[in-house]
Amino acid sequence: MPDAEPISGHSPTPDSFDIKPSVHRASETEYRFDVYLDAMASKDYFGKGICTWVIDYAALTLRPTGAPDEYSLAAFMSHAEIETELPISMYWQRKLYGTSRPHPQPVSESALKREEFAKYRDPDLSDTISVTLQAKELRP
């Protein structure tokens, strides 16, 4: 990192970086987006040695109708989950799909794995929306 500001001690560069990939419709029920684990090149950005980067997580946030006051639906995969390349099924409450928030602050409903959904919401998954996230290495 470059030297910190002499008075504030604040570093002039961020300690994280977000990459917002495009989502593509693959079929009636499947959407895809690409997250590259090596999207940030390892190199000497500041003349102080090689900077390396690690992806913390991949996240998907959906707004069913796109209205600014509706609940958004979010799903996350950790770095460890991405590396396993195993599918991860998660669930949202169907009743929130496309509904407006009761107050102006942004509210996002996070998808939960089956065990978490049963513990914090309802063990009956019949009134849910499911999403399955899976990382796959692109091979030529």
Side-chain angles (χ1 to χ4, degrees), residues 85-102:
E85 296 189 28
L86 296 173
I88 300 169
S89 296
M90 292 177 270
Y91 304 87
W92 289 299
Q93 300 176 78
R94 183 175 297 279
K95 69 181 180 184
L96 296 179
Y97 187 84
T99 60
S100 296
R101 299 183 307 261

Side-chain angles (χ1 to χ4, degrees), residues 29-89:
T29 61
E30 186 175 338
Y31 292 82
R32 293 179 184 239
F33 65 98
D34 297 327
V35 175
Y36 297 94
L37 298 181
D38 60 353
M40 296 292 293
S42 295
K43 68 180 191 178
D44 188 353
Y45 288 93
F46 309 108
K48 296 187 173 226
I50 302 294
C51 293
T52 57
W53 307 89
V54 175
I55 188 168
D56 287 331
Y57 61 89
L60 175 65
T61 302
L62 304 173
R63 288 187 126 151
T65 68
D69 67 336
E70 75 182 327
Y71 284 91
S72 60
L73 307 175
F76 302 88
M77 288 181 79
S78 70
H79 180 88
E81 290 168 330
I82 291 168
E83 286 188 327
T84 68
E85 296 189 28
L86 296 173
I88 300 169
S89 296

Side-chain angles (χ1 to χ4, degrees), residues 102-123:
H103 45 76
Q105 289 79 22
V107 175
S108 182
E109 170 77 5
S110 291
L112 300 173
K113 294 177 186 169
R114 178 184 290 267
E115 304 79 31
E116 296 166 327
F117 198 91
K119 181 177 179 180
Y120 297 112
R121 299 281 189 258
D122 188 341

